[in-house]
Amino acid sequence: MAESSVKQRYAVIGAGWAGCAAAMELARAGHTVTVYEAARILGGRARRVEREKTVLDNGQHILLGAYTETLRLIKLAGQDPAELILTQPLQMRYPPGTKGMDFIAPRLPAPLHLAWALLRAKGLLRADKLSLMRFSTAMRWMGWQLYNDCTVSELLQRFDQTDTLNRLMWHPLCLAALNTPPERASARVFINVLRDSLGASRRRASDMLIPKADLSALLPDAAARYVEQHGGAVRTGTKVAALHALPDGRWQLDETDTYDGVIVATSSVQAAGLLQAVQDARLADAIDRMQAFTPEAISTCYLQYDASVRLDLPFYALVDAPERQHWGQFVFDRGQLDANQAGLLAVVISASGPAAEQGHGPLAQAIAAQLAQVLQRPELAQPAWTQLITEKRATFACTPELRRPGNASGMPGLLLAGDYTANDDRTQDYPATIEAAVRSGVAAARMANTGKAAKQT
């Protein structure tokens, strides 16, 4: 975004990844930006927390090489992604002896890397491989677009995907990407993710990126420094209670500060509350869309063992089987990401509502037992300590034909940014991911810079 010829004052409410992206883009365009964040730690629902005298994240994340805007802003903020992120080739690898599969893409040009990975994959029968090849070919022929949305389960059934593929690849990928079970998840949005990773022309787009630094340090903290270096300010521990539209077109926060424009980059629940208080009929559509969202939870269970405990790989996929109290879907060896976290494992459960109902103690014990069994390491049944972190509103349920608000609120000078917003081009809609949040923040800032804040999608 080129520097604006007219320098204006903007407020960004919320310092999650969307708010940080919006603030950086506005600052880069030459505007004066003030960021308001109710919490003391930046990052929103992807931030660091401190538990058991250890710096953790409120959820273990995997990024993709296709997250181009996230990587661009990390670099713009003065960070080196190579130092902060472990890059791994696309893979779906289960512990040996668990009736899983071993699928890993070599560093060959796309799409040869996928063809070679499929050819060499273990745990898949010939019928499974042919089924996957047909699906990939059909998606390419369709241009990775689905005009009539349906559930992921219906899509997979339509293209005759085998039970093994559904269990070992599509089910875990759908949960990880959309945080919504396949039987309820949007096939269109799922295909969008596959298009930008499996279907990309660049092999690197399919790489799996695992943060080595804590999530707040990866971008939000650096974004705050960037804003301040460009004449802006970041106010933590400051909650905005009300917005007021002034007769001259400007906006007032609470009863004090006045700005030429405001970007609301809070959660959809908080954003709806702020917009409702404005009491303007032009905001009704955006409010209705936000209030229609159904929240989905994500849980991460951290288990600390002796520092000598180390997995053979940085992470494994796990077969979740709730009927056997096997809730974990992925396990990460944090010690291979940060030497200061040797012996710390992180187990992720997406769409974790039923799992979280077990309670902290029973769920952590079940996860430890699952690790001990599937990794064939009895010592993992007895961690020194465990910490379960559940984000009850981690994402919205990404269901078919979901009507999401755009960046435009309906009123001049007031924009929305968050992983819940929709792009003007529906083929670009992403699930609630870090990249979706960043793209939304960038789009909101660019709309503010071009004066398109009132247009509603």
Side-chain angles (χ1 to χ4, degrees), residues 173-192:
L173 283 182
C174 180
L175 282 174
L178 276 65
N179 193 39
T180 308
E183 59 271 17
R184 293 193 287 110
S186 165
R188 177 187 288 141
V189 176
F190 186 55
I191 289 175
N192 289 344

Side-chain angles (χ1 to χ4, degrees), residues 330-348:
F330 289 91
V331 56
F332 296 80
D333 185 346
R334 294 294 311 174
Q336 296 190 44
L337 304 171
D338 181 353
N340 294 321
Q341 295 186 339
L344 180 65
L345 303 184
V347 176
V348 177

Side-chain angles (χ1 to χ4, degrees), residues 301-314:
C301 185
Y302 292 94
L303 305 97
Q304 182 66 62
Y305 300 95
D306 184 81
S308 62
V309 170
R310 181 182 175 92
L311 302 185
D312 292 335
L313 299 175

Side-chain angles (χ1 to χ4, degrees), residues 65-140:
Y67 287 9
T68 52
E69 284 296 274
T70 300
L71 294 171
R72 178 181 69 84
L73 287 188
I74 289 174
K75 294 176 183 177
L76 179 63
Q79 306 271 72
D80 182 359
E83 292 183 359
L84 302 172
I85 296 172
L86 175 67
T87 299
Q88 295 281 287
L90 174 69
Q91 57 192 273
M92 187 66 75
R93 311 187 73 179
Y94 290 81
T98 59
K99 296 182 180 180
M101 70 176 183
D102 194 42
F103 177 100
I104 179 168
R107 299 191 182 280
L108 295 173
L112 292 178
H113 68 312
L114 295 179
W116 185 257
L118 186 59
L119 180 66
R120 299 294 299 271
K122 299 177 182 178
L124 297 180
L125 299 176
R126 183 173 181 272
D128 302 319
K129 296 180 180 182
L130 289 175
S131 178
L132 180 54
M133 289 176 61
R134 286 195 301 268
F135 180 83
S136 178
T137 301
M139 290 300 107
R140 291 178 187 278

Side-chain angles (χ1 to χ4, degrees), residues 324-399:
R324 293 190 286 125
Q325 294 292 299
H326 283 196
W327 300 99
Q329 297 154 359
F330 289 91
V331 56
F332 296 80
D333 185 346
R334 294 294 311 174
Q336 296 190 44
L337 304 171
D338 181 353
N340 294 321
Q341 295 186 339
L344 180 65
L345 303 184
V347 176
V348 177
I349 311 170
S350 296
S352 65
E357 291 176 358
Q358 309 303 305
H360 180 166
L363 180 55
Q365 185 178 6
I367 290 173
Q370 178 186 3
L371 293 179
Q373 179 181 341
V374 301
L375 294 170
Q376 301 177 42
R377 298 178 61 169
E379 72 274 16
L380 299 184
Q382 300 294 330
W385 55 260
T386 62
Q387 179 64 52
L388 181 70
I389 299 176
T390 296
E391 280 285 329
K392 294 183 179 180
R393 293 181 173 270
T395 71
F396 56 87
C398 194
T399 52

Side-chain angles (χ1 to χ4, degrees), residues 223-258:
R225 294 192 295 269
Y226 183 93
V227 169
E228 291 168 346
Q229 290 165 1
H230 286 72
V234 178
R235 302 180 182 176
T236 59
T238 306
K239 183 177 181 179
V240 175
L243 295 173
H244 306 282
L246 302 179
D248 61 2
R250 293 184 299 165
W251 288 86
Q252 186 179 63
L253 273 59
D254 296 331
E255 303 297 332
T256 54
D257 298 321
T258 302

